[in-house]
Amino acid sequence: MGRLRRSRAHHARRDVHRAARTRVRGRDLDQIQLIDLDPKNRAALEKQAIDYEKPGLGQHYCVECAKYYESDEALKSHWRSKVHKRRCKQLREPAYTIEEAERAAGLGRENKRPTTASTSQEVTMTDDV
């Protein structure tokens, strides 16, 4: 005789995975480039006041990755890691602008004809001469 199958074989994993996708959402690259890497803001982030709610009392912060670490050794080993180096490489590329996003969606100016009345008047004036 074979094994009987349970009615809930997936153990409600779908809901757990769905919640995990948004629970630990970090900062996006454009937010880090425009706000955190500014020299004034970077200095303030590296020298934060003691906060008992954050890991390592908020004293060990990686600005490029926007993460707190428990100790200085953990932060230094993070700086040597592949994850940090990959993030730094991504931050060296310039952020997309709104104009670039519109051009990618086909909303740019390069494909449109001029619709002003002045161009139609110039054509009729040259035909008269």
Side-chain angles (χ1 to χ4, degrees):
M1 198 162 172
R3 184 177 152 252
L4 294 176
R5 187 178 178 101
R6 287 192 201 163
S7 62
R8 289 190 61 139
H10 70 282
H11 301 289
R13 288 188 195 136
R14 184 185 71 188
D15 299 332
V16 173
H17 289 299
R18 217 178 257 170
R21 281 193 298 238
T22 58
R23 186 181 311 141
V24 191
R25 179 114 168 91
R27 294 174 66 95
D28 290 328
L29 291 175
D30 56 347
Q31 291 174 322
I32 294 172
Q33 281 179 342
L34 297 175
I35 300 169
D36 293 349
L37 293 180
D38 184 39
K40 294 176 189 176
N41 294 338
R42 184 182 183 113
L45 287 171
E46 289 176 348
K47 306 268 185 203
Q48 294 184 21
I50 293 176
D51 188 0
Y52 294 103
E53 299 293 322
K54 295 178 182 170
L57 302 177
Q59 299 301 301
H60 312 287
Y61 183 73
C62 178
V63 178
E64 289 84 6
C65 299
K67 289 185 179 180
Y68 291 95
Y69 290 92
E70 286 291 326
S71 64
D72 196 38
E73 293 82 24
L75 179 62
K76 287 180 182 178
S77 72
H78 164 74
W79 285 338
R80 291 188 302 267
S81 71
K82 187 182 282 190
V83 174
H84 177 77
K85 291 176 184 178
R86 190 181 306 135
R87 176 57 70 100
C88 290
K89 187 176 180 180
Q90 290 172 343
L91 286 171
R92 276 188 232 120
E93 296 176 10
Y96 287 111
T97 61
I98 295 172
E99 291 80 21
E100 286 176 314
E102 288 176 349
R103 274 186 279 163
L107 301 174
R109 289 183 164 183
E110 63 271 356
N111 294 334
K112 295 183 180 178
R113 285 194 229 165
T115 58
T116 60
S118 63
T119 57
S120 62
Q121 289 175 357
E122 290 174 9
V123 172
T124 57
M125 286 182 178
T126 56
D127 291 340
D128 293 337
V129 177

